[in-house]
Structure formats: C-alpha cells, structure tokens
C-alpha cells in the first residue's frame, strides 16, 4: 500500500502536527475545558459518568456531577492563585493564604480519584490503526455461504 503524503511530509506526521498546533495553547484545568477535550475522543457524558464511578467507589457518600465539577474548579482556582498572585489572601493583607500538608494531600487524593474515574468512564482505548497494513479479508470459508435455492419440481 502506498503512503499518502502532504507535500513531502507523510500524512500521519502532518496530521499529528496539526493536532499539536490545535491543542498547544489550550488549558484543560477547568472542568468544562476538560470535558471539551475528551469530547474529541469520546461521546461519554464525562462528569455524570465520573460521578457515578466515584459513587460506586463509596456508595455511602454519593456524589453528583456538579460536585465533581465544583471541586475541580476550586482546585484550579487555588492553583491559579498560587501561580499568578503568589497565593495572597484576598482579605487585602500581604499574607499568603494558609495551606497545610493535609490540604495538599486531600487535593492530590481528589485528583487521583477523579483521574481514575475518568479512565474508567472512558473505557479501554480503541486499538491503534496501522494504515500502512492492508486490511485483511476473511478466509473464504469464513464468509457466509448463500443458501441453496429450492429447485422447481416439474
């Protein structure tokens, strides 16, 4: 099978470069953006499915999709505050907001649980397609055989 090229570049390389340019400056911290990113590869209702998986892990504490989204929004907001404003307390003082080791550990635990639930929600990835290999055809014996037609009796 002959490979398809875009100018002098193989199509696969051109497509990968186009995807990288498309996603290069996108941020996937906000729950809406995370869901949008996964929507390019899955039709799963992400946050509903994630909430269901998290509830399955601990049925005594059911969680709704909005709760997952709210918690991720809070984590992203705190991350942005740390990265962009040196985590100053919003009360106007020049103090930094308080954060404990336990706060950090809880955030890591939440993120780990959500990531595992996302992986479960999305399921196993489809096998990679090797477009350089011709499609295999079933052996003739595996093809459905036509039914014999009843012969007309005279």
């Amino acid at each position: 099978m002959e490979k398809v090229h875009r100018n002098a570049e193989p199509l696969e390389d051109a497509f990968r470069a186009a995807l990288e340019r498309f996603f290069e400056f996108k941020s996937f911290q906000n729950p809406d953006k995370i869901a949008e990113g996964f929507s390019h590869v899955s039709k799963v209702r992400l946050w509903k499915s994630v909430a269901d998986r998290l509830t399955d892990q601990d049925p005594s504490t059911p969680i709704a999709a909005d709760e997952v989204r709210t918690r991720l929004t809070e984590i992203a907001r705190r991350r942005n505050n740390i990265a962009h404003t040196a985590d100053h307390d919003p009360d106007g003082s020049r103090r930094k907001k308080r954060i404990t080791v336990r706060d950090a550990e809880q955030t890591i635990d939440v993120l780990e649980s959500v990531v595992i639930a996302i992986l479960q929600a999305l399921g196993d990835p489809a096998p990679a397609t090797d477009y350089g290999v011709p499609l295999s055809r079933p052996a003739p014996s595996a093809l459905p055989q036509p039914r014999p037609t009843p012969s007309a009796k005279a």
Side-chain angles (χ1 to χ4, degrees):
M1 173 179 261
E2 206 169 308
K3 288 195 173 199
V4 177
H5 295 272
R6 179 184 176 271
N7 299 330
E9 185 178 24
L11 184 60
E12 179 181 344
D13 295 344
F15 185 67
R16 180 172 299 282
L19 285 177
E20 288 174 3
R21 283 191 304 276
F22 179 77
F23 289 109
E24 186 174 23
F25 296 106
K26 299 211 182 266
S27 170
F28 296 102
Q29 297 173 25
N30 175 292
D32 292 337
K33 297 295 184 180
I34 294 169
E36 179 186 323
F38 282 117
S39 74
H40 292 282
V41 295
S42 175
K43 296 199 181 305
V44 169
R45 291 181 50 215
L46 187 65
W47 299 124
K48 166 77 171 95
S49 188
V50 166
D52 291 347
R53 300 301 186 292
L54 292 172
T55 297
D56 290 347
Q57 290 174 16
D58 184 5
S60 67
T61 312
I63 187 164
D66 284 343
E67 292 175 77
V68 176
R69 293 165 47 104
T70 298
R71 184 66 178 119
L72 290 177
T73 299
E74 291 168 355
I75 291 170
R77 187 174 294 130
R78 182 70 191 267
R79 177 257 171 223
N80 290 338
N81 192 35
I82 291 168
H84 301 294
T85 66
D87 206 24
H88 284 120
D89 203 325
D91 69 2
S93 69
R94 298 190 48 86
R95 293 187 318 236
K96 294 186 184 291
K97 282 179 73 174
R98 178 170 154 47
I99 190 168
T100 65
V101 169
R102 184 71 192 130
D103 294 335
E105 288 172 343
Q106 286 176 335
T107 298
I108 291 167
D109 290 346
V110 166
L111 293 174
E112 264 184 354
S113 295
V114 169
V115 167
I116 290 167
I118 288 172
L119 290 171
Q120 291 170 343
L122 296 176
D124 290 332
T129 302
D130 183 355
Y131 293 104
V133 175
L135 294 174
S136 61
R137 298 193 185 272
S141 61
L143 294 174
Q145 300 299 316
R147 290 185 183 180
T149 56
S151 59
K153 292 187 179 181

